[in-house]
Every structure is written in C-alpha cells, then in structure tokens.
Amino acid sequence: MKDIVETLQAGAGKQFINLSAGNPLILPEVEQLWRDCTTELLASSEYGEVVCRYGSSQGYAYLIETIASDFNRRYGLDLNNNNILITPGSQSLYFCAANAFGGLTTNGGIKQIVLPLSPDYTGYGGICLFQDALVAYKPTLDVEEEAHTFKYRPDFSQLSITERTGCIIFSRPSNPTGNILTDNEVGKITALASPYNIPVLIDSAYAPPFPALNYTDMKPVFGDNVIHCMSLSKVGLPGERIGIAIGSSRLIQVLESFQTNLCIHSSRYGQAIAANAISSGALANISEQFIRPFYQKKFTMLEDSLNSAMPKNLPWFLHRGEGAIFAWLWFKDLPITDYQLYQQLKKVGLIVVPGSTFFPGLREEWQHKQQCLRISLTGSNEEIAKGMKLLAAVVQTVYQLSS
C-alpha cells in the first residue's frame, strides 16, 4: 500500500485508475444518516456525558443495550450486556484476541493463531507479537474452467486444531476474495475448536445485518466458543473506529481487560451516533437498500467487463462474487509474479493490489500466491470498464511473450 500511495503522489499529473482502495465510498444516503444522528446527539442532553467524559472500557451503555436488543430480536438470541464489547475498530479487537488467547504462554511455549482458509485479510499478519504463532492453511479450489470462475474452500484434511491452538480467525465475507464460508464449513471449524475451548473469531466486517455486503444468503453464526466480530467502517464510520465483539461473557471479559490496559475505550461520539442509527432500524435499512445493491452492481459490472475483455483461451479465473467490496482474480501459470504484473499495470495507468500480500501465515511454497490480484469495487462504472480492458491487454501480452 505504501508503494501505491507513493505512486499516486509522484504521478506528476498522470491519470491513474485506482482500483486498490479498501476505503468505502461516501454514499449520499449513508452520509445523511450520520448527519441526522449527529444532529440528534447535539440536541440531546446526553451530549456532554458522551463527549466530555471518560466512559466504561466495555463501551457506551446505550449502544451495548441497543445491540443486545437488536440481535436478540433479529436472530433469536439471549444476549445481555455482558456478552458485548465495543472496541476501537475491529483491527484492535484481533490484536487483543491474538495476544490474549495466542502467542507466548507462561511456560514459554507458543499458542498458535490459526487462519483456516488462506488467502485472508492481510491485517492478520500484524496482530501477533510473536510471528511464529501465526499459522495459515492452504485451501482447496473449486474451479469452473468454462465459466472462468473459482471458489476457495477449507481443506479439512490438512487443518489442524489442537491444544496448541490459541484462537482461530477468519473473515466472512472475505477480504480479499469475497468468499463466504458455508454454515457447514463454519460448523466444522467450531466443532474442531470446541473440545479445547478455543475461541473462534469470525470477522464479520462485511456481514449482515450491517453493512450486509453479502450477495448470497448467509446468517451470522453464534456459539459458546464463537466471537462474532463486527465493524462499522463499511457503513460509513471508518474514521470513528467502532468495532463490536459478541460472545460468551468469559471471553468478552478477557478482551475487555486487555482493552482497558491498551486504550481505555473507543470513540464515545461514534458509539453514540451508532446507537441511534441501530435503535431506529435505519442502519440495517440503509445497508440492505443502498450499500449492498450499490456494490453488488459494481461486481456485476466488473464481471461483465472481464468476460467481454479477457481472452477466453487464457487461464484467468474470477473468484465467485459472494460478498465484500472487492474482486479477486487468479491467473493460472502466470509467467511473471503478481508484483511484476502490478508494476506493468501501473505503466498503463491501472492500480490494483498484488495478491501475495493476502497470505499471512502461509509459509509453504505455493505458486498460486504470486498469481492473484485484488481489485476494489470503489471505482466508477467507467473506471472499472476501462480498467478491465487495460488489464486484459497487459495480461494477454504477458502470456504471449512467454510462449
């Protein structure tokens, strides 16, 4: 990402199509929601208490109560306030969990942080103070040759969960691939962890009920050893750093204690306006009516552009678009590395993200790691269509030169 920023800054007037961003677009309806919630907070007698005073490390009480009520009604749960923790973004939540449940133990051993399906979110690569503790597993691939599509699946014949495992983390829907693990796959992972009381953190930053960036049917999974992890970044509050953890009180208490020492608590202003948006039902409605359709149409646009521009005789494969705000492309037998392809695309004015950065913890050699690209859906329709034409032309040249 540093190279991308430097490229854009040093462009000297050159126009780039930037399809690298993970920053959500500012949708008018979403911005207006947060303006309305801010106006409501400013007019409230709670304003001073929210902004001018410290609060509980667990989070703003009204937000916690609102989440418990909403999820109990929506999913038939029996949550109380002790089952919920508000964190300063979900990244800090994974840092707390990785080092509270995994990493160095009191007897000098190492508890592993397991990523059961690689590739996955690149940010997991920096959450553990002891890098040797992070272990990822290679997936199996379901490939549809004629359709030029594929899907990653966990390889349960290889996945190892033992007493040496501290916690398990995966994103659902996935950043970077848009993959959604099935209920059955999630159930198998939690069942493997259960005998050892291992926490399973499900990164639901793109999941329903908000931002609801799932394009196929899915429901959040809960359980005694599951920590359901959410973020409000993709519903228009990335600057406020609001993460949410939902789980058993024994696991939430551990994370709260860690957080108290780390940062006291998350932004109270962000928590307060989020509470208003959730309690009114507006946040879930905005997610379903505006955020999801907007990005789903972007994926369809990208898919159609690729099918139109990419030569049918080349071994390119688009991961099934099941959710999130990215597309993931695999170029089988790519004659150059993903980073070299990224550099060539920059020369024609297209910026994407090399895929090899999304395999944290996967130590074994695997050519596939250098054959993928992540493409953001945050560009305009025109940028996406033109970008896929540029991509197709460069990739075709790369394969032709190798033969």
Side-chain angles (χ1 to χ4, degrees):
M1 297 309 293
K2 182 180 179 183
D3 182 76
I4 291 171
V5 171
E6 290 175 349
T7 297
L8 293 170
Q9 290 174 343
K14 182 175 182 179
Q15 294 297 310
F16 288 99
I17 297 175
N18 184 6
L19 300 182
S20 68
N23 230 353
L25 291 172
I26 302 175
L27 305 185
E29 297 83 3
V30 175
E31 181 179 358
Q32 189 59 52
L33 169 64
W34 297 122
R35 286 181 179 272
D36 293 343
C37 290
T38 296
T39 300
E40 187 178 341
L41 175 61
L42 288 170
S44 167
S45 60
E46 275 285 292
Y47 179 81
E49 284 293 320
V50 167
V51 176
C52 303
R53 296 179 66 86
Y54 289 114
S56 163
S57 291
Q58 185 184 0
Y60 182 50
Y62 181 46
L63 175 58
I64 291 171
E65 292 164 6
T66 298
I67 293 168
S69 175
D70 183 272
F71 274 62
N72 287 342
R73 174 185 56 80
R74 196 180 296 274
Y75 300 116
L77 304 175
D78 188 26
L79 301 175
N80 60 50
N81 290 5
N82 294 327
N83 299 122
I84 298 168
L85 175 68
I86 310 301
T87 66
S90 56
Q91 183 74 11
S92 66
L93 168 56
Y94 306 127
F95 177 82
C96 290
N99 294 288
F101 302 122
L104 193 65
T105 65
T106 53
N107 63 6
I110 291 285
K111 285 276 192 177
Q112 293 179 338
I113 297 94
V114 169
L115 311 181
L117 181 69
S118 187
D120 211 329
Y121 176 47
T122 188
Y124 300 151
I127 58 175
C128 185
L129 296 175
F130 299 89
Q131 284 300 305
D132 289 345
L134 190 68
V135 178
Y137 286 87
K138 194 166 75 172
T140 62
L141 280 66
D142 283 354
V143 181
E144 297 183 30
E145 299 271 354
E146 291 188 7
H148 288 276
T149 62
F150 80 110
K151 177 180 171 65
Y152 293 117
R153 295 194 182 279
D155 185 351
F156 288 101
S157 69
Q158 300 297 318
L159 180 59
S160 176
I161 307 297
T162 69
E163 66 279 354
R164 294 182 60 239
T165 306
C167 65
I168 300 167
I169 306 176
F170 57 88
S171 57
R172 182 181 186 254
S174 167
N175 172 4
T177 66
N179 191 19
I180 296 179
L181 271 68
T182 66
D183 289 350
N184 183 54
E185 288 166 342
V186 176
K188 285 184 177 180
I189 293 170
T190 57
L192 288 171
S194 184
Y196 306 102
N197 292 316
I198 296 168
V200 179
L201 289 91
I202 304 179
D203 181 348
S204 304
Y206 297 92
F210 28 81
L213 280 164
N214 57 300
Y215 312 140
T216 60
D217 287 339
M218 69 166 288
K219 289 184 179 180
V221 175
F222 304 92
D224 289 340
N225 63 326
V226 172
I227 304 176
H228 180 74
C229 307
M230 302 168 60
S231 165
L232 300 188
S233 294
K234 300 307 183 286
V235 287
L237 285 185
E240 287 306 300
R241 312 308 304 138
I242 307 295
I244 302 166
I246 301 174
S248 69
S249 58
R250 67 178 177 85
L251 297 176
I252 293 299
Q253 182 58 59
V254 172
L255 295 174
E256 182 185 350
S257 298
F258 201 115
Q259 176 167 284
T260 302
N261 291 305
L262 180 69
C263 59
I264 304 181
H265 59 66
S266 177
S267 160
R268 300 251 299 162
Y269 160 74
Q271 293 184 68
I273 62 173
N276 291 339
I278 295 170
S279 65
S280 68
L283 191 57
N285 290 338
I286 286 280
S287 298
E288 292 179 1
Q289 295 173 17
F290 294 99
I291 299 176
R292 178 195 288 154
F294 179 84
Y295 287 106
Q296 189 167 11
K297 288 176 184 175
K298 293 286 184 185
F299 185 87
T300 301
M301 173 72 187
L302 180 142
E303 186 174 33
D304 290 344
S305 298
L306 278 173
N307 284 326
S308 175
M310 290 290 292
K312 301 299 182 187
N313 63 331
L314 292 185
W316 63 273
F317 301 94
L318 176 66
H319 195 284
R320 292 183 202 169
E322 298 176 334
I325 62 171
F326 308 104
W328 180 260
L329 267 175
W330 166 41
F331 301 99
K332 186 178 179 182
D333 301 323
L334 184 66
I336 59 178
T337 68
D338 61 318
Y339 189 76
Q340 291 169 328
L341 178 58
Y342 156 75
Q343 295 291 350
Q344 293 202 22
L345 291 170
K346 281 200 305 182
K347 291 177 183 178
V348 299
L350 176 62
I351 299 181
V352 294
V353 181
S356 54
T357 58
F358 295 95
F359 293 85
L362 187 62
R363 298 183 182 87
E364 64 182 289
E365 291 298 319
W366 186 30
Q367 273 194 310
H368 185 92
K369 291 195 289 185
Q370 283 80 43
Q371 296 175 342
C372 301
L373 297 175
R374 190 191 77 172
I375 303 170
S376 173
L377 302 178
T378 55
S380 67
N381 288 348
E382 293 75 18
E383 288 173 326
I384 290 173
K386 183 178 179 181
M388 295 310 97
K389 289 180 181 178
L390 293 171
L391 174 65
V394 170
V395 167
Q396 185 169 18
T397 299
V398 166
Y399 277 101
Q400 285 175 343
L401 289 175
S402 72
S403 61

